[in-house]
Amino acid sequence: MVDKKAILKALEENFHTRGTVTIDDHGQVTCEGTVSFKTGVSRFPVQFEKVTNGFDCGFSPGLTSLEGAPREVGGTFYCANTGLTSLAGAPKKVGDFVCRNNLQLRSLEGAPETVEGDFVCDSNHLLTTLEGGPKQVLSTVRCFGNARLVSLLGAPTTVGGDFWCYDNPKLRSLEGLPSIPGILYLTYKQKLPLLRCLLAQQVVFYPRKQVSKPVQTIVNRYAGQGEAGAFSCGTELATAGYKENARW
């Protein structure tokens, strides 16, 4: 028999809630509103089913697990600045998902399958790939400032807007980059293969540097053409002296 009074007490001691809270016969909590985690325990002491608006467990350095998190969050699921090492237990479906600046996070395994808004995973300094991340992001992907990111393998297969992946100093390949209906923001590197950039409708090298201006002009001449524009773009880049960039 589920002790709903004990669950409600644990909820009140560890979370701020705004809205209507219900507990089903399996002990799972639903909140028609918002939930904020307020204590320093390492894992959630209750099991959530659904939160219709936002769920905030950010700025919780003692939090090491998302087990017990809602299976669905209608608004933003915010788990930035925590002690998480993985995203196991994260919701399957969210509005926005923010998991930036988690200095122990090594993998995106367990991330939501569908993000209906923005997916933000910047400044996670131990992250090396995007493998395990969501399959669908219906708005913007932000994965900049990840000091050890070496490839984009595992990036979402569907992106609805822009893709921000600048300031990743160890990025050596754009393998895994999806088709991007918006803008690709990327830091220019002399030896980075750039022909996959043509999967985006527009490319902006950021931060802007004088050396990248001719490259940006050439790449944007063929942006959106994908593999169909790769030969012509590569030829023009090589002729202009950017042979290392003229690779897929």
Side-chain angles (χ1 to χ4, degrees):
M1 187 72 176
V2 172
D3 188 343
K4 294 186 179 182
K5 288 185 177 180
I7 294 172
L8 184 59
K9 182 180 179 182
L11 182 68
E12 291 174 344
E13 288 177 347
N14 293 277
F15 299 89
H16 291 297
T17 61
R18 290 185 178 181
T20 303
V21 172
T22 58
I23 302 172
D24 67 18
D25 291 338
H26 300 287
Q28 296 181 326
V29 177
T30 293
C31 179
E32 299 283 338
T34 62
V35 175
S36 298
F37 186 52
K38 67 179 182 181
T39 59
V41 296
S42 62
R43 55 196 313 119
F44 303 137
V46 300
Q47 172 69 60
F48 289 90
E49 174 63 24
K50 183 178 180 179
V51 174
T52 58
N53 293 334
F55 187 99
D56 183 359
C57 58
F59 292 92
S60 303
L63 185 67
T64 58
S65 172
L66 292 178
E67 295 296 334
R71 292 183 175 87
E72 183 175 342
V73 174
T76 298
F77 186 90
Y78 189 85
C79 60
N81 299 87
T82 70
L84 294 171
T85 58
S86 82
L87 299 178
K92 297 297 183 184
K93 182 179 180 181
V94 297
D96 300 310
F97 190 82
V98 181
C99 65
R100 67 182 309 273
N101 203 34
N102 294 300
L103 302 184
Q104 303 302 317
L105 188 67
R106 296 177 177 273
S107 169
L108 295 181
E109 291 291 340
E113 295 173 1
T114 300
V115 179
E116 295 185 329
D118 297 339
F119 179 75
V120 180
C121 66
D122 53 86
S123 302
N124 296 306
H125 296 328
L126 296 184
L127 204 61
T128 58
T129 75
L130 300 182
E131 292 189 61
K135 301 300 182 186
Q136 288 186 310
V137 176
L138 303 185
S139 187
T140 298
V141 175
R142 289 173 47 188
C143 64
F144 57 83
N146 293 304
R148 298 191 183 186
L149 192 70
V150 296
S151 82
L152 300 179
L153 286 172
T157 54
T158 300
V159 175
D162 299 335
F163 197 110
W164 299 66
C165 64
Y166 64 85
D167 195 24
N168 296 310
K170 293 193 176 182
L171 190 64
R172 297 292 181 265
S173 168
L174 298 184
E175 185 177 0
L177 188 74
S179 294
I180 301 165
I183 301 171
L184 170 63
Y185 293 89
L186 183 69
T187 298
Y188 175 76
K189 296 178 183 178
Q190 192 174 14
K191 295 185 178 182
L192 182 66
L194 291 178
L195 295 184
R196 286 180 193 267
C197 289
L198 306 186
L199 294 169
Q201 293 300 311
Q202 182 181 350
V203 180
V204 173
F205 291 115
Y206 185 87
R208 293 170 176 82
K209 295 180 180 179
Q210 189 70 28
V211 69
S212 69
K213 286 185 178 180
V215 182
Q216 183 168 298
T217 300
I218 295 169
V219 168
N220 277 303
R221 207 180 335 270
Y222 303 93
Q225 296 183 21
E227 291 188 52
F231 178 78
S232 297
C233 183
T235 300
E236 193 167 341
L237 284 170
T239 301
Y242 300 98
K243 187 175 180 180
E244 293 284 356
N245 298 137
R247 296 176 289 139
W248 185 265

